[in-house]
Amino acid sequence: MKVMGIDIGTTSVGLSVLDRQTRRQVKAETIPGGSFIRTDRPWEKLQKVDEIEKKVIDAVQELLSEFKDIEAIGLTGQMHGILYIDRKGICVSPLYTWQDGRGGRKDFEGKSLTEEIYTKTGIHVYSGYGWVTHLYNQRKNLVPETAASFCTIADYIGMRLTGRESPLIHSSMAASFGFFDLEKGQFRTDLLKDLGVTGDILPDTTTKVAPLGKFRGIPVYTAIGDNQASVLGAAGREPGSILINMGTGGQISVISDRNIQIPGIETRPFLDENYLLAGASLCGGRAYAVLENFFRQYGKAAGIGDCPQYDIMDKILKEAQPEEPLLVRTTFQGTRMHPDMRGSIEGISEENFTPAALINGVLRGMARELYHMYREISEQIKLEAPVLAASGNGIRKNPWLQKAFEEVFEKKLALSPYIEEAACGAAVSCL
């Protein structure tokens, strides 16, 4: 018998089929996702829900036609973002993704909503988090009139597969909205009320991976956060395990058996009554794409056309001679704590102002961002893992980035044996 996992990511959808007994991956598939909506507001990051839904359900139908012995379907997907649903469980809004910047806009007497929330509650929540998005929309009269509740895109796909009319959100997803009590496993309704949340819009939550219903007779289970799913699929579930994930964003995740609080690090629900200590670099794997676009624009201006530059960057690194490194800070989109921060390049000299040094500087900067978070975590809990587990296409497909992480962390890097690790974790979660 087999189990299927589905990961609805920001730019792609991953699917994985595992053998239930051996946990061997028998099928992995990646299809383009995204479906971004173009707007005239650069801070607005929205996606078309109906397009994502169709892609996912078509892909699931194809896999079920290929594998007749699938006995469970697990779900995961991008965290933090929300979409609104009506009383019949139908989406009535776009997906407001985790990248959405409305919470950081200084639209309220010169303050952003995230600044106001911190002033009133002493709690750091960030732009793109579900409750921040909802509060902004509520104040700006942007909540659809027919909205009865909201959920993540993965929760919504679970509803559409099973015919549910109301969402049931696992604590790992619910916590990503903000204002979630980890000990009690429920939202902080007292704080939400003080901040002005109106109406009975709270979705139901659960601390268990529970069945939602069935699709073509196959049980479908509650979606878990993509961070938790990636850790489960790539690093296992033992306390002290470390996972580096580099995809659209970047993350370092450490499994802890204690609920501890570290500034700049999120403590999230995991499985087995454990927790995840998670630090995020917002630009993540896109930092390398930003650099590639820099070279691409130069190439276009030089008359060689708008051509991908990754192969040329690879050639430059292979032929590079040792030189004094550039110190590059890859906070091109700021940080969770400081969204207005930007990146920088330091240590430039006549000798090292070269394409190779710049490429190496960006690679090491990507690793260094997560290393600083690793140091913060290691001051609170003992981290003896000799190996860094790693997942995500941003690091899987870039051996130079793998080398940078090994040098910065001074640890060996072990790539996950699975393709589409989060989808694998989703499959494992429902066993």
Side-chain angles (χ1 to χ4, degrees):
M1 303 300 288
K2 298 178 179 65
V3 289
M4 181 194 301
I6 308 166
D7 172 27
I8 302 104
T10 311
T11 56
S12 65
V13 174
L15 299 101
S16 182
V17 178
L18 299 184
D19 182 279
R20 181 186 178 100
Q21 298 300 323
T22 65
R23 305 288 175 93
R24 182 176 64 88
Q25 189 176 46
V26 298
K27 180 82 173 187
E29 187 175 325
T30 306
I31 59 177
S35 303
F36 277 97
I37 299 172
R38 292 183 179 273
T39 79
D40 57 0
R41 301 169 177 147
W43 46 267
E44 198 169 43
K45 304 296 181 184
L46 313 176
Q47 291 182 331
K48 298 177 182 177
V49 175
D50 56 346
E51 288 188 6
I52 298 171
E53 177 188 340
K54 185 178 187 308
K55 289 176 183 178
V56 174
I57 293 181
D58 286 351
V60 171
Q61 296 273 26
E62 288 184 15
L63 282 180
L64 291 180
S65 297
E66 182 177 353
F67 297 97
K68 307 296 185 183
D69 57 347
I70 289 176
E71 60 179 355
I73 298 173
L75 293 163
T76 186
Q78 52 177 296
M79 299 160 66
H80 309 300
I82 61 169
L83 58 91
Y84 292 99
I85 55 172
D86 64 18
R87 295 194 181 281
K88 293 185 178 181
I90 303 300
C91 179
V92 292
S93 76
L95 167 63
Y96 300 86
T97 77
W98 62 276
Q99 297 171 312
D100 192 85
R102 68 193 60 217
R105 291 182 55 79
K106 297 184 183 297
D107 284 355
F108 305 100
E109 297 180 355
K111 280 189 174 183
S112 69
L113 189 53
T114 53
E115 290 171 334
E116 181 183 319
I117 289 170
Y118 180 72
T119 299
K120 288 183 176 179
T121 68
I123 294 174
H124 281 293
V125 286
Y126 308 107
S127 189
Y129 279 32
W131 282 116
V132 176
T133 297
H134 174 66
L135 276 166
Y136 184 97
N137 288 346
Q138 181 180 287
R139 291 193 182 184
K140 296 288 187 177
N141 296 315
L142 297 174
V143 178
E145 291 184 4
T146 55
S149 189
F150 60 73
C151 61
T152 72
I153 182 63
D155 295 311
Y156 184 67
I157 295 299
M159 293 172 64
R160 300 300 291 158
L161 288 171
T162 61
R164 285 182 66 98
E165 294 185 352
S166 60
L168 180 62
I169 303 182
H170 187 263
S171 56
S172 60
M173 281 295 202
S176 77
F177 297 158
F179 300 106
F180 193 80
D181 188 317
L182 295 180
E183 296 295 339
K184 295 181 179 179
Q186 61 189 34
F187 290 116
R188 292 288 306 275
T189 53
D190 55 336
L191 293 178
L192 291 170
K193 184 178 179 181
D194 289 344
L195 289 168
V197 172
T198 59
D200 185 22
I201 203 162
L202 282 170
D204 291 332
T205 63
T206 176
T207 59
K208 304 294 183 183
V209 179
L212 295 170
K214 293 184 178 180
F215 178 69
R216 289 175 46 175
I218 301 168
V220 179
Y221 288 80
T222 45
I224 63 173
D226 59 356
N227 179 206
Q228 288 84 350
S230 291
V231 173
L232 187 60
R237 60 208 311 162
E238 290 299 315
S241 298
I242 306 168
L243 175 69
I244 297 294
N245 181 272
M246 193 61 69
T248 307
Q251 283 180 322
I252 179 168
S253 304
V254 178
I255 302 175
S256 172
D257 56 5
R258 293 184 293 130
N259 177 6
I260 59 177
Q261 304 300 314
I262 304 171
I265 303 295
E266 284 193 70
T267 304
R268 298 173 172 174
F270 190 51
L271 306 179
D272 306 326
E273 299 183 353
N274 285 328
Y275 301 90
L276 270 189
L277 305 177
S281 57
L282 297 187
C283 204
R286 292 193 311 283
Y288 204 60
V290 169
L291 181 62
E292 187 270 345
N293 185 58
F294 170 83
F295 288 123
R296 184 190 291 245
Q297 289 187 38
Y298 176 81
K300 185 178 179 180
I304 64 174
D306 187 8
C307 304
Q309 299 295 303
Y310 291 112
D311 288 345
I312 298 174
M313 292 161 69
D314 185 69
K315 181 174 183 288
I316 289 171
L317 290 175
K318 286 178 180 177
E319 298 175 354
Q321 299 297 316
E323 55 191 338
E324 183 184 359
L326 289 173
L327 183 63
V328 181
R329 192 174 67 203
T330 53
T331 51
F332 302 148
Q333 285 192 315
T335 68
R336 292 284 193 210
M337 296 285 285
H338 304 286
D340 295 331
M341 180 185 288
R342 291 297 176 260
S344 64
I345 305 173
E346 298 179 16
I348 300 173
S349 68
E350 289 186 63
E351 290 73 27
N352 70 357
F353 195 36
T354 66
L358 181 58
I359 298 170
N360 270 315
V362 168
L363 291 168
R364 292 181 67 86
M366 294 163 69
R368 197 178 296 109
E369 254 197 280
L370 295 184
Y371 179 72
H372 291 323
M373 301 173 196
Y374 167 82
R375 290 291 301 272
E376 293 288 331
I377 295 171
S378 66
E379 290 179 4
Q380 298 295 325
I381 64 175
K382 200 170 186 178
L383 296 179
E384 296 180 337
V387 173
L388 290 174
S391 67
N393 288 335
I395 195 166
R396 181 183 294 279
K397 296 180 178 181
N398 191 334
W400 303 106
L401 184 57
Q402 296 168 26
K403 180 182 177 184
F405 268 96
E406 289 187 331
E407 290 175 349
V408 171
F409 278 77
E410 297 183 342
K411 288 179 181 288
K412 292 295 293 181
L413 196 76
L415 292 173
S416 166
Y418 295 128
I419 302 170
E420 292 294 345
E421 298 90 348
C424 286
V428 171
S429 75
C430 63
L431 291 177

